[in-house]
Amino acid sequence: MQNRKEIKKLLDRINTGEINSSEKQLLFRFFNDPESRAVVYRWLKKKWKGLQYEEPDTEVDFEKLLLRIHQDVKQDVPTPLPLREQPSKLHRIIRVSMRYAAVCLIACGLEWYILTQTGGNENAQKIVYNQVDVPHGSRSFIVLADSTLVWLNAGAKLRYPADFNGSNREVFLDGEAFFDVTKDKHRPFLVKVSGMDLKVHGTKFNVKAYNDEYSIETTLLEGSVEVIGLKAREKDSRNLFMKPGQKLILYKEKKNTSDSGSENKSEDAESVKIADARLINLSATDQEVAWKHDKLVFDKQRFDEVKTRLERWYGVTIEIRDSSVLDYRFSGTFDKETFEQAMYALKEAADFEYVLSKKHVVIKP
């Protein structure tokens, strides 16, 4: 068999602890093949007989050996294997035990790698996801299993694995979040949003990607971020890598639809297409992450965007009966102001009247 030498080489490397992740994947594929699996048993048998201890012959069914070890690992209950009875002299028992223990260690090492693989194993443990849904009027902070820190803005949703056992660390975001990613050279960190995937190793960045908005904004503070699928140049095959101090804005392609009720629905991640992109070099990034410090900052933003952010920030609803207000652009910062104080400041700047009833506001001409 062509793969015999390769399998033996991988088994020797697993025995010495030198095997790497790609070799483990290859060994896993070999182990699923019955013919290749027979090579594993012969290798174990050779290791058994090759140990330099003198004692009577001991016959072992190596297929049952590996199967029994597999069961013991699952149950976490050590069960002695059925060996043919030997003379009861103490030194022979010790020698047999040493040989058995040595091969068990090798087999357990192999079984451990098999059990910890996920690709191609129908019995592999499924990834368990947690989800955080931040209500309007609130902010949240969580620590992921790899010690990555995540701040979530109002209205954000983050789906993430309870534990990172695979070859990468992948989370799904709808909304705005600030990530302080723990470095891991062997497992990249992926943030998946509708219309964009970000790949990082260890960095600090802010992502604003609400499904019901027509733009995605990413601001990099430290490290490096790779934007999957977005090329640096039209004829360049490499993905775009952002540098600290840069802000990337992706504009989603707006869809024409006769269904007026679909305008406010969240877009499916697979249906989102990017119409345009803009990369900006910022002089400062403080404004981009001010929300993390409980500050709401506006910089010449149209009132329709101001309205959306106010609704999320304070957990209110705003009804506009004067469409001319939407064209007004507002600049300012709300730090510890209440919603009533914020509305009064907007009223003075844009010259409109409003009626406030609990958490609902009606803006009149």
Side-chain angles (χ1 to χ4, degrees), residues 10 24 29 32 37 65 70 102 108 110 125-126 150 162 177 190 204 208 213-214 236 240 274 294 325 362:
L10 294 173
K24 282 188 287 182
R29 289 196 293 271
N32 279 335
R37 198 177 178 93
L65 168 65
H70 190 167
C108 279
L110 175 60
Q125 184 179 3
K126 293 183 179 179
V150 185
L190 297 172
K204 297 180 181 180
K208 183 185 177 188
E213 292 187 359
Y214 282 105
D236 199 337
L240 172 68
I274 302 302
D294 293 326
V325 174
V362 178

Side-chain angles (χ1 to χ4, degrees), residues 320-336:
I320 299 178
R321 296 181 180 176
D322 180 8
S323 59
S324 64
V325 174
L326 296 175
D327 295 326
Y328 175 77
R329 292 185 177 273
F330 181 76
S331 296
T333 300
F334 295 134
D335 190 350
K336 297 179 189 250

Side-chain angles (χ1 to χ4, degrees), residues 258-269:
S258 58
D259 181 8
S260 60
S262 66
E263 294 179 0
N264 296 324
K265 292 181 181 179
S266 295
E267 296 180 73
D268 182 70

Side-chain angles (χ1 to χ4, degrees), residues 11-26:
L11 290 169
D12 286 332
R13 287 180 66 79
I14 200 175
N15 186 28
T16 59
E18 298 174 340
I19 194 166
N20 59 40
S21 58
S22 60
E23 290 172 335
K24 282 188 287 182
Q25 294 285 350
L26 181 59

